[in-house]
Amino acid sequence: MDKSKRLFPKSKRFFRRRLPPIQSGDRIDYKNMSLISRFISEQGKILSRRVNRLTLKQQRLITIAIKQARILSSLPFRNNEKEFEKSESTTQATGLKTKKRVYSSIKFKFQSKLK
């Protein structure tokens, strides 16, 4: 089939080639926090190789660097600020419920003594 006789002509799209996330001069090290933080999700998880667009060797080095930074406490193991806020609000709510129960039981005892 000749190219000029095609039923559906190919669309000519221009794709911009994406730059690699790690340049050749960047050192993958646990001290390089600006580089490491690009490969961690908001929850503190290590992003996959597909998402990062890294080579296998680069992903291994990034993973090792992140784990070293976590062990040395320069990175948290998990970023659970939202979970912490939720747990605080639930404890406050349950605390109110228990206080109401205590006060109602004291009222009942007091009223029974008055009779």
Side-chain angles (χ1 to χ4, degrees):
M1 192 176 210
D2 191 25
K3 288 184 181 180
S4 61
K5 295 181 182 177
R6 286 188 181 168
L7 297 174
F8 300 105
K10 270 190 171 179
S11 62
K12 293 186 178 183
R13 291 186 190 170
F14 294 103
F15 291 103
R16 189 180 68 149
R17 189 173 172 153
R18 290 187 177 181
L19 296 172
I22 297 177
Q23 304 300 327
S24 59
D26 289 340
R27 283 194 60 189
I28 302 173
D29 197 26
Y30 68 92
K31 298 174 193 171
N32 194 352
M33 296 305 294
S34 61
L35 179 72
I36 288 176
S37 61
R38 284 191 271 165
F39 304 107
I40 297 177
S41 69
E42 291 177 4
Q43 298 168 340
K45 295 179 181 179
I46 301 171
L47 294 174
S48 69
R49 197 178 137 213
R50 252 185 332 178
V51 175
N52 291 335
R53 301 184 319 270
L54 295 174
T55 64
L56 183 63
K57 188 174 183 179
Q58 287 173 335
Q59 181 70 22
R60 282 190 193 137
L61 291 172
I62 284 289
T63 305
I64 290 168
I66 290 170
K67 288 179 179 180
Q68 286 175 344
R70 285 175 175 168
I71 289 171
L72 295 172
S73 300
S74 44
L75 265 182
F77 279 92
R78 287 190 338 185
N79 188 8
N80 54 358
E81 293 173 2
K82 291 180 183 176
E83 291 176 18
F84 181 70
E85 289 173 7
K86 285 181 185 176
S87 65
E88 270 188 357
S89 63
T90 54
T91 54
Q92 288 174 353
T94 55
L96 291 174
K97 288 177 186 175
T98 54
K99 285 179 184 176
K100 286 180 182 177
R101 286 183 196 152
V102 170
Y103 290 134
S104 62
S105 64
I106 291 172
K107 270 187 188 177
F108 180 74
K109 287 178 185 177
F110 184 71
Q111 288 174 354
S112 62
K113 286 183 182 178
L114 291 175
K115 291 180 183 179

